[in-house]
Amino acid sequence: MKKLIENNITYLVEQFYSNPSLIEEYIHEVYEVIGKVEDRVKSYITLRPLEDVLDEFRKLRDRIKYGFKGRLLGIAVAVKDCIVTRGIRTTCASRMLQDFIPPYNATVVERIINEGGIIIGKTNMDEFAMGSTTENSAFYVTRNPWDLSRVAGGSSGGSAAAVSSREASIALGSDTGGSIRTPASYTGTVGMKPTYGLVSRYGLIAYANSLEQIGPIARNLSDLTLMLSIISGHDPKDSTSLKIYDTNYDRYLSKAPLKNYKIAVIKECIEQGVDRAVMQAFNRAISRFESEGLEVTEVSMPLIKYGLPAYYIIADAEASSNLARYDGIRYGYHVGVGERSYDDVYSEVRSYGFGLEVKRRILLGTFVLSAGYYDQYYLKALKVRRLLRNEFVRIFNRYDFIAIPTTPTPPPKVGEAIDDPLKLYLMDIYTVLANLVGIPAISIPADIVDGLPIGIQILGPELSEGYLINIAYIYEEISKLRDLTPPLVV
Amino acid sequence: MNIDPAEWVERVSKLALINLSEEEKKLLIKDMARIIDFFNMINELKGLDDVEPLFMMPRGEPVLRDDEVGECLSINEVLMNVKEKEDRFIKGPRTA
């Protein structure tokens, strides 16, 4: 018999209404899977005890009796550990926050709970979301359920691995420069970085606040669309939140194109430095689109190569400022204050609390913001950002979408890239663009090559999430690449 | 880059108030020059004098909320992660 966990969320929720005791069975199933695979995959930093989750189920069951309705009724949701959860430890995979218990919920968490969703745990990530492989976690590496010798991507690696291996039905990640889309690509899941400002960042622990957004990682478009509909929309607690109130994207799950779509492929993104397997999957996806009658055109954007250095300058600058809050006095890693000076205490806290990559980015950020270098690096990077944004606007005047690979290579082996920071940064070359210019982008499985899933990334203009869902759904329908099952789970 | 990497790490870590172990210094020095060279790529682009820097995504609407009293955390909740406190006060280091 098909396990409950294998079903999509909308179907599950319908079943749960007519028979709430099924929720209990489902929760046991999820924890059984976790018991089987978690030792090897390491998706979670904090997993709630089964008893606590069952308690929550019982309360939920009582509320159902009194007419409670929720679009995530009883659904096990995993949340990246940089999104605060009231009463549940939130570490950012850092020693700095290893015993931090938030006194409040992020807005996205609040919205999930209001819909009856059950947060079952907090997922592993690169420390403070700085990384592309989840190897920068202060605790342990998350492994790819498709091949345990490989990484699951990052920085939302735990969220993607949990969803892929059925340790949760759906997860939240955060994406500063590809941290949702890269792990989605590596694990055969779908992941979306929404338009800047569509999803509230209230309760998202900041790394680079002008770039990042929270978004869903799911096994299929239907689940992703549901979660996006729930977490999107205006939040007065986030001053960058857009005043958008209609966030029901269901109608875009249509097998027919809702417009006469034109797709642009950026020539510079497929010309060189892309792995053979990635190219094979990408070409397969493009020919599938063409066989559906969609128009695909190659366009040139020479400026694109400046995106990656500009991104790292801006992200590091913002990080050096955002991470200045960790003084260990109000929360986080603490050293005895005694009669010591502020600089002394502060330096010691930062030296112990942060890992190497975080320190590296703080130093680089401090440097590009320092007197004499500010104009040359930081300001200039922001100018490049403006030019890139203008370029994207120009392309979107003529095309509905841009299609490019999500990452230039398949998931690397654990340990293969971690010792070379530049090699790691290069993994983000195609994902940082959407963050720099504030537009939405989705990664969906393009194909499976040599036993590994490989993603294709589709970008659209600001607030085109609906159409992105539509084209991704069309692809899911033709390719049948949905609910992909990694060998580990079989 | 013309700056000596070891000197660079020394100077910037002081500026950033981060103490580094010898091992960390070695690892940071190893890649620092390459990363700054990578940053320097953007200096190939000329004629940017008139380009307006893009700090945040442009917004066409006011961003402030109404100043209304709402629910907020209790003092106990706010202080729940503080390790050194006296009554309702947080103990901090000397600032002078």
Side-chain angles (χ1 to χ4, degrees):
Chain A
M1 202 184 81
K2 191 177 175 184
K3 281 188 170 177
L4 287 166
I5 180 78
E6 294 294 338
N7 293 288
N8 79 28
I9 295 174
T10 307
Y11 174 83
L12 274 181
V13 169
E14 267 171 36
Q15 303 298 306
F16 291 167
Y17 270 120
S18 45
N19 182 6
S21 64
L22 274 181
I23 300 175
E24 191 174 2
E25 196 181 313
Y26 159 82
I27 292 169
H28 279 292
E29 250 182 35
V30 172
Y31 273 76
E32 226 168 83
V33 175
I34 293 172
K36 258 190 223 157
V37 307
E38 179 61 10
D39 275 359
R40 286 171 288 165
V41 179
K42 294 281 187 195
S43 303
Y44 289 99
I45 291 176
T46 304
L47 181 69
R48 286 176 67 200
L50 176 60
E51 253 329 293
D52 289 9
V53 172
L54 289 175
D55 269 351
E56 199 170 321
F57 150 70
R58 286 178 205 113
K59 283 180 201 146
L60 202 57
R61 191 179 50 192
D62 292 343
R63 289 172 66 202
I64 298 169
K65 281 186 202 146
Y66 293 101
F68 172 77
K69 291 222 179 300
R71 288 177 285 176
L72 290 174
L73 184 81
I75 297 299
V77 181
V79 173
K80 189 178 182 181
D81 211 20
C82 57
I83 299 171
V84 299
T85 40
R86 184 155 57 97
I88 305 174
R89 184 171 75 128
T90 299
T91 70
C92 260
S94 180
R95 289 200 287 191
M96 188 64 91
L97 293 174
Q98 64 183 348
D99 61 357
F100 174 59
I101 312 279
Y104 68 102
N105 278 327
T107 296
V108 291
V109 169
E110 204 66 32
R111 288 186 182 173
I112 287 170
I113 293 170
N114 288 342
E115 294 288 348
I118 302 177
I119 311 284
I120 62 162
K122 305 299 293 291
T123 55
N124 198 19
M125 54 186 281
D126 289 291
E127 184 178 4
F128 284 102
M130 297 181 188
S132 316
T133 62
T134 311
E135 289 169 288
N136 284 331
S137 166
F139 306 123
Y140 34 75
V141 179
T142 295
R143 288 173 183 266
N144 194 317
W146 290 80
D147 176 350
L148 292 169
S149 71
R150 293 177 190 272
V151 302
S155 64
S156 314
S159 287
V163 169
S164 162
S165 62
R166 278 65 174 165
E167 293 181 286
S169 278
I170 192 160
L172 292 184
S174 71
D175 190 313
T176 310
S179 287
I180 286 174
R181 290 160 286 156
T182 296
S185 170
Y186 286 175
T187 59
T189 51
V190 290
M192 182 186 263
K193 184 213 86 86
T195 302
Y196 188 78
L198 181 65
V199 177
S200 168
R201 288 184 299 109
Y202 181 72
L204 170 65
I205 298 176
Y207 153 30
N209 47 289
S210 84
L211 300 162
E212 56 210 8
Q213 275 286 287
I214 294 170
I217 298 177
R219 284 196 292 268
N220 56 62
L221 257 297
S222 158
D223 290 354
L224 177 133
T225 302
L226 175 64
M227 184 56 94
L228 183 73
S229 301
I230 289 167
I231 61 174
S232 300
H234 183 64
D235 176 15
K237 290 175 177 159
D238 171 3
S239 67
T240 61
S241 161
L242 294 165
K243 298 223 165 101
I244 292 195
Y245 303 93
D246 173 18
T247 61
N248 195 335
Y249 296 99
D250 282 0
R251 62 182 180 279
Y252 294 97
L253 289 170
S254 153
K255 290 173 193 172
L258 296 172
K259 266 166 72 176
N260 189 14
Y261 292 135
K262 288 185 194 139
I263 304 173
V265 171
I266 300 178
K267 199 170 68 154
E268 285 80 1
C269 295
I270 51 170
E271 265 176 357
Q272 52 178 355
V274 183
D275 184 271
R276 176 199 56 84
V278 173
M279 249 357 271
Q280 193 183 318
F282 183 78
N283 289 334
R284 183 81 198 275
I286 293 301
S287 53
R288 276 175 173 144
F289 280 129
E290 284 174 332
S291 64
E292 283 298 293
L294 303 187
E295 192 185 312
V296 182
T297 314
E298 262 191 33
V299 300
S300 175
M301 200 196 272
L303 205 60
I304 215 126
K305 66 173 177 171
Y306 301 106
L308 194 66
Y311 167 82
Y312 270 95
I313 292 169
I314 296 166
D316 291 358
E318 292 187 19
S320 73
S321 168
N322 279 319
L323 271 58
R325 73 192 58 180
Y326 300 101
D327 55 15
I329 292 166
R330 296 153 299 152
Y331 52 83
Y333 175 71
H334 179 79
V335 299
V337 166
E339 296 298 308
R340 299 167 66 186
S341 77
Y342 182 81
D343 283 6
D344 194 26
V345 170
Y346 189 68
S347 303
E348 189 182 329
V349 164
R350 284 155 70 83
S351 306
Y352 174 84
F354 294 140
L356 185 71
E357 184 59 26
V358 175
K359 286 176 182 167
R360 186 189 337 264
R361 294 194 192 188
I362 291 175
L363 295 192
L364 288 163
T366 303
F367 172 66
V368 299
L369 290 176
S370 64
Y373 298 98
Y374 181 89
D375 288 3
Q376 188 184 341
Y377 293 109
Y378 182 57
L379 218 52
K380 188 134 191 189
L382 293 173
K383 291 181 175 191
V384 173
R385 186 184 195 179
R386 168 83 60 189
L387 294 178
L388 273 170
R389 190 174 152 92
N390 294 346
E391 281 292 280
F392 276 90
V393 169
R394 184 179 64 83
I395 290 183
F396 287 131
N397 280 335
R398 297 182 54 196
Y399 303 93
D400 301 282
F401 305 114
I402 291 171
I404 51 178
T406 307
T407 61
T409 64
K413 300 260 185 193
V414 173
E416 191 181 321
I418 193 67
D419 291 329
D420 185 346
L422 272 180
K423 197 168 168 183
L424 278 176
Y425 298 173
L426 268 170
M427 287 168 64
D428 305 336
I429 188 158
Y430 304 135
T431 45
V432 298
L433 301 164
N435 304 81
L436 277 172
V437 301
I439 58 175
I442 189 168
S443 176
I444 56 174
D447 212 354
I448 295 173
V449 182
D450 306 330
L452 290 173
I454 295 192
I456 178 174
Q457 190 188 185
I458 307 171
L459 300 81
E462 274 181 6
L463 298 175
S464 63
E465 278 79 2
Y467 292 119
L468 279 178
I469 285 168
N470 182 219
I471 193 166
Y473 187 68
I474 291 168
Y475 191 78
E476 193 182 84
E477 280 290 316
I478 24 180
S479 68
K480 301 292 172 219
L481 295 170
R482 63 159 67 98
D483 300 315
L484 298 180
T485 309
L488 184 76
V489 178
V490 182
Chain B
M1 188 175 67
N2 301 327
I3 316 161
D4 173 58
E7 212 174 281
W8 187 97
V9 167
E10 203 63 44
R11 184 169 59 82
V12 180
S13 62
K14 274 208 183 95
L15 205 55
L17 293 178
I18 290 181
N19 303 329
L20 297 168
S21 68
E22 286 310 312
E23 177 63 16
E24 283 176 328
K25 276 185 198 165
K26 217 172 75 193
L27 290 169
L28 290 168
I29 289 166
K30 174 170 81 75
D31 299 303
M32 206 49 83
R34 285 169 63 222
I35 296 173
I36 301 217
D37 278 345
F38 159 69
F39 284 2
N40 280 331
M41 257 178 79
I42 62 165
N43 289 316
E44 290 171 11
L45 276 171
K46 303 292 175 207
L48 301 189
D49 289 354
D50 295 334
V51 178
E52 192 65 26
L54 180 61
F55 287 90
M56 292 291 285
M57 289 309 126
R59 304 287 305 269
E61 56 191 33
V63 293
L64 300 177
R65 64 174 171 80
D66 294 332
D67 187 18
E68 285 165 354
V69 177
E71 253 182 79
C72 58
L73 297 177
S74 71
I75 288 175
N76 279 342
E77 285 171 318
V78 171
L79 298 181
M80 66 188 262
N81 284 284
V82 177
K83 305 264 175 23
E84 281 189 84
K85 60 185 165 191
E86 289 177 22
D87 298 333
R88 292 161 54 184
F89 296 95
I90 301 170
K91 192 169 178 203
R94 290 171 172 279
T95 51

